């Protein structure tokens, strides 16, 4: 939770589980789609502060960081999001299978990031809906 702790200091006015987290996530997605990656990073960081175990916010933030050229930071965010996703336990077998697929996609993206490869835009477009 190192990233969360750093962001908590930066965005100290944000309450956990703020009602605005959905708006920030939507704004981050729109900024990402428009190519405004720095704005997307900021919005996704707000979501992380509001919902510390929102692995998808870490993942989306990592893609925006990667696209903005901050590849080392992107890897850190994706690693932390992956850790959180792996720690989830679903009560439903169907949800558990979906989560396993998410983890596999995140692991594939992480490997690509570490190699400096282009991101899987199809997968990113799916999560950015």
């Amino acid at each position: 939770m190192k990233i969360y702790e750093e962001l908590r200091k930066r965005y100290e006015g944000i309450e956990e589980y703020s009602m605005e987290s959905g708006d920030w996530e939507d704004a981050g997605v729109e900024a990402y789609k428009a190519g405004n990656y720095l704005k997307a990073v900021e919005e996704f960081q707000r979501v992380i502060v509001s919902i510390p175990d929102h692995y998808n916010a870490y993942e989306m933030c990592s893609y925006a960081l990667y696209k903005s050229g901050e590849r080392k930071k992107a890897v850190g965010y994706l690693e932390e999001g992956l850790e959180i996703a792996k720690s989830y336990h679903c009560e439903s077998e169907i949800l558990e299978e979906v989560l396993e697929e998410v983890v596999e996609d995140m692991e594939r993206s992480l490997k690509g990031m570490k190699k400096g490869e282009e991101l899987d835009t199809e997968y990113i477009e799916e999560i950015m809906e």
Side-chain angles (χ1 to χ4, degrees), residues 53 55-56 80-89 96 99 102-103 106:
D53 60 349
Y55 63 84
N56 197 244
E80 197 147 326
L82 187 55
E83 256 182 65
I84 294 168
K86 286 180 174 180
S87 72
Y88 268 59
H89 299 286
E96 193 67 38
L99 184 59
V102 167
V103 167
M106 291 173 78

Side-chain angles (χ1 to χ4, degrees), residues 3-15:
I3 291 170
Y4 170 77
E5 294 302 325
E6 290 173 11
L7 293 178
R8 190 90 198 120
K9 292 174 190 169
R10 182 174 179 192
Y11 299 102
E12 59 187 53
I14 295 176
E15 294 179 24

Side-chain angles (χ1 to χ4, degrees), residues 22 43 49 51:
E43 297 297 341
V49 171
I51 308 172

Side-chain angles (χ1 to χ4, degrees), residues 32-33 120-129:
Y32 185 93
K33 288 179 178 178
D120 177 358
T121 56
E122 184 178 323
Y123 172 64
I124 294 168
E125 289 169 12
E126 285 177 21
I127 67 163
M128 296 277 188
E129 291 182 343

Side-chain angles (χ1 to χ4, degrees), residues 4-122:
Y4 170 77
E5 294 302 325
E6 290 173 11
L7 293 178
R8 190 90 198 120
K9 292 174 190 169
R10 182 174 179 192
Y11 299 102
E12 59 187 53
I14 295 176
E15 294 179 24
E16 281 195 10
Y17 302 100
S18 168
M19 296 298 291
E20 294 177 83
S21 62
D23 294 337
W24 295 322
E25 187 171 350
D26 291 344
V29 168
E30 290 307 311
Y32 185 93
K33 288 179 178 178
N36 189 349
Y37 303 119
L38 296 178
K39 175 73 172 162
V41 166
E42 187 175 304
E43 297 297 341
F44 294 136
Q45 286 176 335
R46 285 186 171 106
V47 176
I48 291 167
V49 171
S50 178
I51 308 172
D53 60 349
H54 192 323
Y55 63 84
N56 197 244
Y58 284 89
E59 181 181 19
M60 292 185 294
C61 193
S62 76
Y63 295 142
L65 285 163
Y66 194 80
K67 291 294 249 181
S68 71
E70 294 190 61
R71 294 184 172 188
K72 185 176 179 180
K73 237 183 196 178
V75 166
Y77 273 73
L78 192 52
E79 287 174 336
E80 197 147 326
L82 187 55
E83 256 182 65
I84 294 168
K86 286 180 174 180
S87 72
Y88 268 59
H89 299 286
C90 301
E91 293 182 22
S92 159
E93 188 174 314
I94 293 171
L95 291 177
E96 193 67 38
E97 288 176 15
V98 170
L99 184 59
E100 286 175 16
E101 288 178 26
V102 167
V103 167
E104 288 173 11
D105 288 335
M106 291 173 78
E107 287 174 336
R108 190 171 27 263
S109 293
L110 183 59
K111 285 179 186 173
M113 279 185 182
K114 287 182 175 181
K115 293 179 182 177
E117 297 174 352
E118 284 297 313
L119 296 173
D120 177 358
T121 56
E122 184 178 323

